[in-house]
């Protein structure tokens, strides 16, 4: 039995949230309801109080509820957060980290898996703003359920109907007991750039946004893996459900990866690790511009992936995956790295293209293995993540289940 927070926002589908509560209770869960002010225009809190047998949270600052900072206490107690119905407004706030009521604050404070169930008018649902906000949430590992097609309260017929309660309950069961081909597996994933500090205010870095590594981490979490995400300095949010170890320099990344390699079934090095760092480390004081030229001596960093390949020796675990971001001779250079670093798979891509590589949502990659190469089409990074994990799953042995196939575990 799990404690589940159900956030109800202001849509006509709010009344259906009552059925969702019932379904979750039938499945043996305890539900705490949170209502936004506009949700209360549609259904009264008393309804939820009666069926959940708990105080309904309607206010961030209700007297008597702040002794243990309720949203923080609840954030660590719950095992899932479900938002149903989720309006375009709430979806926007969740996507952008706006925390102006109890529900949106709870979303930021919890590390529990999140299920969002949109319901709105068709034109609103297909509006670019909503489409992008939902994509942001999905990239972050949030599970989006529906919406379905049908007769809408506004009189339209189209997409926007709140998903059926049974669908929502099935999704909650899946996030509580993740089903997938990576259940029981541990993956170490690196993402982002590393920064090599010159002085307290300046660094040598690179243009990696971390998108590819974050997509792999989100996909792996979604497929049931335990994910240790070693994350360089990035502006993007890591997916819910990953254990995040934040690092800055190549040396810090190496320490974090080595610490977790023992337990890993696979290490996926999607990070753009600096090849050089400042000799002698960062200067303690800010460099003055008192000279015409400045010479900084850089020294080689340790190649983490090559070190993993060496220390693995003849063993087959952990499976090792590297990325080769190239501007010329892409596949040939990736093949050389595959052999030199003794890894199982190199994901090669041409970063000189506008639609692949740094800071874009898409990628066009070639999978390079000893057995041969596979050219992949231009696709969203999340789709590429899925293909890479299919290969990792095959290398680990055992059947691979795709995300949109029915889970193996019965609901
Ligand atoms: N890598 C690493 N440690 C480093 C440098 C790179 O683990 N110090 C990993 C990257 O995470 C990536 C792979 O090695 O998975 C290839 O990185 P890339 O920068 O393409 O190749 P390098 O070996 O650094 O060679 P070069 O920069 O000369 O192309």
């Amino acid at each position: 039995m799990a404690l589940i927070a159900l956030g109800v926002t202001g849509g006509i589908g709010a009344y259906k949230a009552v059925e969702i509560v019932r379904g979750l209770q039938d499945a043996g869960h305890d539900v705490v309801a949170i209502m936004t002010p506009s949700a209360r225009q549609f259904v009264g809190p008393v309804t939820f109080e009666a069926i959940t047998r708990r105080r309904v949270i309607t206010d961030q600052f209700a007297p008597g509820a702040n002794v243990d900072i309720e949203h923080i206490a609840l954030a660590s107690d719950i095992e899932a957060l479900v938002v149903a119905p989720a309006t375009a407004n709430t979806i926007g706030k969740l996507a952008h980290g706006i925390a102006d009521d109890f529900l949106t604050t709870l979303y930021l404070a919890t590390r529990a898996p999140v299920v969002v169930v949109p319901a709105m008018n068709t034109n609103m649902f297909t509006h670019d703003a909503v489409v992008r906000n939902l994509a942001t949430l999905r990239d972050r590992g949030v599970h989006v359920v529906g919406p379905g097609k049908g007769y809408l309260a506004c009189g339209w017929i189209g997409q926007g109907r709140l998903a059926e309660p049974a669908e929502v309950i099935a999704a909650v069961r899946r996030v509580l007991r993740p089903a997938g081909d990576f259940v029981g597996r541990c993956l170490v994933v690196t993402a982002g750039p590393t920064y090599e500090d010159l002085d307290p205010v300046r660094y040598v870095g690179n243009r990696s946004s971390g998108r590819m590594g974050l997509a792999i981490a989100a996909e792996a979490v979604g497929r049931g893996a335990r994910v240790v995400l070693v994350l360089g300095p990035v502006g993007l949010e890591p997916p819910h459900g990953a254990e995040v170890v934040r690092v800055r320099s190549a040396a810090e990344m190496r320490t974090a990866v080595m610490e977790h390699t023992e337990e890993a079934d696979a290490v996926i090095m999607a990070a753009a690790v600096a090849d050089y760092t400042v000799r002698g480390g960062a200067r303690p004081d800010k460099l003055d511009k008192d000279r015409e030229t400045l010479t900084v001596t850089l020294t080689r960093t340790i190649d983490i992936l090559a070190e993993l390949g060496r220390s693995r020796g003849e063993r087959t675990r952990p499976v090792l995956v590297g990325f080769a971001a190239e501007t010329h001779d892409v596949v040939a250079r990736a093949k050389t790295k595959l052999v030199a670093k003794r890894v199982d798979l190199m994901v090669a891509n041409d970063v000189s293209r506008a639609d692949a590589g740094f800071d874009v949502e898409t990628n066009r990659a070639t999978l390079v293995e000893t057995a041969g190469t596979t050219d992949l089409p231009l696709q969203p990074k999340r789709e590429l993540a899925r293909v890479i994990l299919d290969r990792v799953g095959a290398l680990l042995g055992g059947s691979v289940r795709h995300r949109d196939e029915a889970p193996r575990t019965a609901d």
Side-chain angles (χ1 to χ4, degrees):
M1 181 174 112
L3 176 63
I4 295 167
L6 175 68
V8 184
T9 75
I12 190 77
Y15 74 94
K16 279 205 209 165
V18 174
E19 268 185 77
I20 295 172
V21 175
R22 277 266 182 261
L24 292 172
Q25 288 173 330
D26 288 347
H29 303 302
D30 193 7
V31 182
V32 53
I34 298 147
M35 299 184 79
T36 61
S38 47
R40 303 204 298 275
Q41 304 289 328
F42 293 88
V43 191
V46 179
T47 309
F48 286 99
E49 193 172 299
I51 56 163
T52 61
R53 293 188 203 90
R54 279 175 168 271
R55 187 176 75 80
V56 174
I57 304 171
T58 52
D59 187 352
Q60 174 94 317
F61 304 107
N66 302 298
V67 185
D68 56 355
I69 314 183
E70 198 173 16
H71 64 270
I72 302 294
L74 191 64
S76 51
D77 287 348
I78 56 172
E79 284 175 54
L81 168 62
V82 183
V83 185
T87 56
N89 179 46
T90 297
I91 288 167
K93 288 200 272 184
L94 299 182
H96 293 279
I98 295 168
D100 64 351
D101 58 21
F102 192 96
L103 177 61
T104 47
T105 312
L106 179 67
Y107 166 75
L108 291 186
T110 192
R111 285 295 169 261
V114 180
V115 176
V116 164
V117 193
M120 65 197 75
N121 164 273
T122 310
N123 273 2
M124 291 173 74
F125 179 67
T126 52
H127 193 286
D128 189 47
V130 175
V131 170
R132 279 170 191 254
N133 288 338
L134 283 171
T136 301
L137 292 177
R138 280 197 190 92
D139 284 349
R140 214 178 270 160
V142 169
H143 303 260
V144 178
V145 182
K149 277 190 183 155
Y151 180 77
L152 306 178
C154 51
W156 290 40
I157 295 173
Q159 199 166 20
R161 266 174 80 87
L162 187 79
E164 289 306 314
E167 260 184 86
V168 180
I169 291 149
V172 174
R173 283 185 185 169
R174 276 200 295 277
V175 301
L176 287 176
R177 196 178 31 162
D181 49 324
F182 282 85
V183 170
R185 304 274 196 207
C186 173
L187 265 56
V188 173
V189 180
T190 67
T194 65
Y195 288 173
E196 309 304 317
D197 289 332
L198 282 166
D199 69 14
V201 295
R202 304 181 182 92
Y203 60 84
V204 181
N206 64 67
R207 291 179 48 201
S208 168
S209 66
R211 280 182 210 284
M212 193 62 240
L214 291 179
I216 291 172
E219 177 69 17
V221 168
R223 286 163 73 159
R226 177 184 159 216
V227 176
V228 178
L229 174 63
V230 180
L231 187 58
V234 295
L236 301 169
E237 274 302 306
H240 277 274
E243 297 164 38
V244 183
V245 183
R246 300 229 181 221
V247 297
R248 181 170 173 86
S249 63
E252 284 176 14
M253 183 166 278
R254 173 175 173 252
T255 306
V257 170
M258 294 307 164
E259 241 166 53
H260 292 94
T261 297
E262 193 63 29
E263 49 202 323
D265 293 291
V267 180
I268 304 178
M269 290 288 306
V273 189
D275 290 327
Y276 292 92
T277 189
V278 178
R279 189 164 74 184
R283 310 285 188 284
D285 298 318
K286 194 180 154 202
L287 284 161
D288 289 329
K289 56 166 182 186
D290 54 1
R291 51 205 133 175
E292 274 311 304
T293 60
L294 172 68
T295 305
V296 177
T297 307
L298 302 175
T299 61
R300 283 281 291 273
T301 56
I302 293 174
D303 189 318
I304 307 168
L305 194 56
E307 187 178 356
L308 290 172
R310 260 196 317 278
S311 59
R312 182 177 66 162
E314 297 311 311
R315 286 174 292 136
T316 52
R317 293 284 188 285
V319 164
L320 297 178
V321 180
F323 278 71
E326 309 290 352
T327 51
H328 60 95
D329 302 325
V330 179
V331 172
R333 287 176 61 86
K335 277 184 185 160
T336 308
K337 288 178 188 177
L338 178 85
V339 176
K341 298 181 194 236
R342 302 172 70 173
V343 302
D344 304 290
L345 169 64
M346 283 302 281
V347 182
N349 67 307
D350 185 345
V351 288
S352 64
R353 297 178 60 103
D355 54 9
F358 298 127
D359 220 6
V360 287
E361 302 284 355
T362 51
N363 211 341
R364 187 194 297 267
T366 303
L367 302 187
V368 179
E369 295 175 76
T370 321
T373 61
T374 315
D375 285 325
L376 300 172
L378 180 71
Q379 57 190 333
K381 285 185 174 170
R382 184 67 189 255
E383 287 306 313
L384 176 58
R386 175 178 163 170
V387 177
I388 293 167
L389 285 188
D390 285 352
R391 271 315 291 150
V392 172
L395 289 163
L396 284 168
S399 64
V400 174
R401 181 181 70 77
H402 288 287
R403 188 156 45 107
D404 44 5
E405 287 170 13
R408 263 182 278 152
T409 345
D411 276 316

